[in-house]
Structure formats: structure tokens, C-alpha cells
Amino acid sequence: MKKRLLGMTPSELGETALSKGLPGFAGKQVARWMYVRRETSLEAMTDLSKSGREALGEEFEVGAAMPVSVVCSADGTRKYLFPVDGDPQNAVEAVMIPDDDRKTLCVSSQAGCKMGCKFCMTGRQGFHGNLSAADILSQFITIDESSELTNAVFMGMGEPLDNWENVKRAIDVLTAPWGFAWSPKRITLSTIGVIPNLRKYLDESRCHLAVSLHNPFPEERLEIMPVEKLYPMEDVLDLIRQYDFTGQRRVSFEYTMFAGFNDSPRHAEALVRLLRGLECRVNLIRFHKIPDFPYGTSSDEVMEDFKNRLQRGGLTATIRASRGEDILAACGMLSGKHRRGER
């Protein structure tokens, strides 16, 4: 199997070029082709000599994974299925969400997930491996909307901070002047609170943070999120409070609402107390029913009342619009499975 160039920095690409008899500056040329022009073939990199392309191609390839299917929602959301390591049976999904002049990519970072959240289809399937930086960047480069993307959220399959080294490499490419040259403000990473790598993320990037909270009471959160035992939300918040979120970087908290479990006035009041003094936003998310989970979806009236209670308590709160539910692309529904009718 050939080695993949996608995910390498210009200096790493330069060293690779030198090892194949090309000049060192060829690394910058290859980086420009991959990250600026979104080129997936060495043969198309025509400012490299033909002999140089052939020498590189003996051992290396760009290595961008192409989607094997795409399915479209009635609301314009598109879900792409990508093979991992060329294996279509070990696949991940990425979701492109259009919204007026914005096109946001919901990115996967792992095949499956170790975290075992009870309400998440990805967590139900277990863990099948970390994605490489090339696998992550392929989701940006090979979809139809690649050149039109305005934002990215690491909220797809997997826990991004459980694969931090590869996620960091991908974010570095996205934000570097030689890469996509995106502002960090265009990227949000969502985590359930893997504290050691959360600290690294906050130290090593300037991107936004979203934290999956879902219940303000530790014993109740533990019922649906095993991570509460290892990394309690109180400890996660203690870490977050050490950083400045009053400027351009934002922190938000994701709160999926389950009827009769976490949507009462008691929960709203506890959430206000938990987050008091922290400059943040709470995103209330409609639960999308999955098999063998005991709770249903909170009603619109309950969600509106919950939001109003948070706002009266001094928090900024919104009810997030649900997108792509008809194609199993909404929050918690990604499973990396082929579905009949996809192309």
C-alpha cells in the first residue's frame, strides 16, 4: 500500500520530495495542489516534472478517500459515506449542512466511538479505529461542495479528543496559510470532556469549543454518559474556567432534551447554577429517537419553557434547528452504514 501525502506539512512534503530526487521546494508545490486546489492526483500536478511525479508515485499517493455514496435530505442536507483505509465495510459519514450563505461540514474523527453514550447511534456500534489526518481531510476535499464550505464542526462520528493528534494535524492544515487558510473562528470541536486532551486543545488551537453536557446532575448524566465517571463535568468546567472565552473564541454546551429525564424546571435551574459566571451559549437539541433507548423527544412547549428558564437565569440559550433527520444525518444518528437508495 502506498503512503499518503495528504495531511503532511510543506516541510514534510519537502523532505519527501528530496528523498525522491526532487528539489525541496516541490513540497510547497504539492501542498498548494492538495490544499488550495484540492487536487487528488499526483499526475495533475503539472509544475512538477514528469519524472518527478513518477518518482513520487512509486511510493506515495495523495491518498484522498472518495465518498462511496451520498444521500440528500429534503432540507438540502447531504450525507456522504467514506471508506476507511479503502475498506467500504469500515466506513464513516460526513454531513454537509446548507444554511443561507453558509455551508457547514459536520466532520467525523473516528470509525465508531469508545465513549458509549447511550443515546448515540455511533456509540452503539463500538470503536473501529481512529481516522488518519488524510481520512479527516478527505471529507473536506472530495465532497461536491468542497470549494463552497464556510465552516466545520467536529461533531460527526467519534470523540475528536480521543484522536487528538490526527485531529490537530487536520486543524493545522485547515488553518495554516499554506493550507486552507481558514480562520480558527470557522471551526468548532465538540467533546464530551476528555480532560487531558481538552487542555491540549485549548492550549494548541484557537478554535471554538462545544461541550456535550446533557444533564446537570452527575448521577443522572452517568446513566447515559459513562464518561462522567472518569471525567466528571464539574472537573471539565473547572478546566474551562481557566481560559478566556470573552473574546473571539466561544464555548457552548450541547444539551439534548429527553422527555421526562432532563427537561424539567429542576434541571433548568441546576443548569443555570452549574454554568453561572461562564460566558457561554447553551444549544438545546431535539432528541432523535433511536431503538432501545427508553426516553423520547421533549415537546416543543417543554423545550421553549426550558429555554426561557435558562434565559431568565442569565444564560444565552437557543433551540437548534434539526437538519437531515429524514436521512439519519441529525445529531446522534450517524452510524457509517450503507442505506438503500444511496448513490
Side-chain angles (χ1 to χ4, degrees):
M1 182 179 294
K2 292 184 179 181
K3 299 175 185 176
R4 303 165 85 179
L5 299 172
L6 190 61
M8 289 188 184
T9 66
S11 62
E12 291 168 339
L13 291 166
E15 293 173 6
T16 299
L18 286 170
S19 75
K20 292 298 179 181
L22 283 77
F25 64 76
K28 293 182 179 178
Q29 294 172 296
V30 174
R32 184 167 60 250
W33 280 104
M34 292 194 301
Y35 304 136
V36 179
R37 300 183 182 181
R38 314 288 205 271
E39 181 54 60
T40 61
S41 168
L42 280 173
E43 189 57 36
M45 300 181 184
T46 50
D47 54 358
L48 303 179
S49 68
K50 187 173 189 297
S51 60
R53 297 197 301 269
E54 290 174 348
L56 268 179
E58 291 172 358
E59 186 178 353
F60 296 92
E61 61 182 352
V62 172
M66 305 299 294
V68 294
S69 69
V70 59
V71 60
C72 305
S73 166
D75 64 23
T77 299
R78 291 163 65 89
K79 183 172 70 170
Y80 291 87
L81 186 73
F82 288 86
V84 178
D85 294 329
D87 179 6
Q89 298 306 311
N90 187 20
V92 297
E93 293 169 326
V95 179
M96 191 288 301
I97 307 166
D99 186 15
D100 296 330
D101 59 346
R102 293 165 59 101
K103 288 188 176 177
T104 299
L105 185 67
C106 183
V107 188
S108 290
S109 55
Q110 294 180 312
C113 185
K114 298 177 187 175
M115 301 302 148
C117 297
K118 302 293 177 59
F119 53 89
C120 177
M121 287 294 291
T122 305
R124 293 279 189 90
Q125 68 177 259
F127 178 67
H128 304 292
N130 286 326
L131 299 192
S132 66
D135 288 324
I136 296 169
L137 290 167
S138 294
Q139 297 169 62
F140 290 86
I141 287 174
T142 62
I143 66 170
D144 295 338
E145 300 81 11
S146 175
S147 63
E148 305 166 47
L149 294 174
T150 61
N151 299 82
V153 290
F154 283 80
M155 295 183 181
M157 298 174 65
E159 164 55 58
L161 294 186
D162 191 41
N163 185 22
W164 171 234
E165 293 306 317
N166 288 313
V167 169
K168 180 183 185 301
R169 181 173 280 268
I171 289 175
D172 287 346
V173 171
L174 293 171
T175 57
W178 47 260
F180 282 48
W182 279 19
S183 164
K185 294 186 296 182
R186 296 169 65 176
I187 301 170
T188 300
L189 180 144
S190 177
T191 178
I192 61 176
V194 180
I195 289 177
N197 286 340
L198 175 56
R199 186 182 295 278
K200 291 180 182 179
Y201 174 71
L202 293 173
D203 287 339
E204 297 171 10
S205 90
R206 298 302 305 162
C207 301
H208 300 311
L209 174 67
V211 180
S212 295
L213 201 162
H214 309 305
N215 202 302
F217 298 109
E219 67 281 1
E220 293 182 15
R221 187 171 188 257
L222 182 60
E223 287 183 36
I224 58 171
M225 300 179 71
V227 73
E228 175 66 24
K229 185 173 184 179
L230 184 60
Y231 300 123
M233 182 51 58
E234 288 278 7
D235 293 349
V236 174
L237 289 171
D238 286 345
L239 174 59
I240 289 173
R241 291 181 191 278
Q242 297 173 27
Y243 293 82
D244 180 16
F245 290 98
T246 60
Q248 293 188 330
R249 176 190 261 183
R250 299 191 305 269
V251 59
S252 60
F253 293 88
E254 311 298 298
Y255 196 93
T256 300
M257 297 192 66
F258 309 109
F261 178 70
N262 68 347
D263 61 353
S264 72
R266 176 178 70 95
H267 290 88
E269 292 160 8
L271 193 55
V272 168
R273 291 193 300 271
L274 187 67
L275 301 180
R276 182 165 288 139
L278 187 60
E279 187 72 25
C280 66
R281 175 185 297 273
V282 178
N283 292 317
L284 303 178
I285 301 169
R286 300 179 194 281
F287 174 56
H288 307 286
K289 185 67 176 171
I290 63 174
D292 302 319
F293 186 73
Y295 301 106
T297 304
S298 300
S299 68
D300 291 348
E301 293 77 15
V302 167
M303 290 188 70
E304 192 69 30
D305 178 71
F306 199 93
K307 181 193 76 171
N308 292 339
R309 289 176 184 275
L310 297 185
Q311 291 178 335
R312 287 197 297 270
L315 295 178
T316 300
T318 59
I319 298 174
R320 182 189 290 169
S322 181
R323 303 293 300 274
E325 186 175 1
D326 58 329
I327 57 170
L328 302 183
C331 289
M333 302 184 80
L334 299 185
S335 64
K337 301 283 181 64
H338 289 273
R339 292 175 64 238
R340 189 172 299 163
E342 293 182 357
R343 67 168 176 83

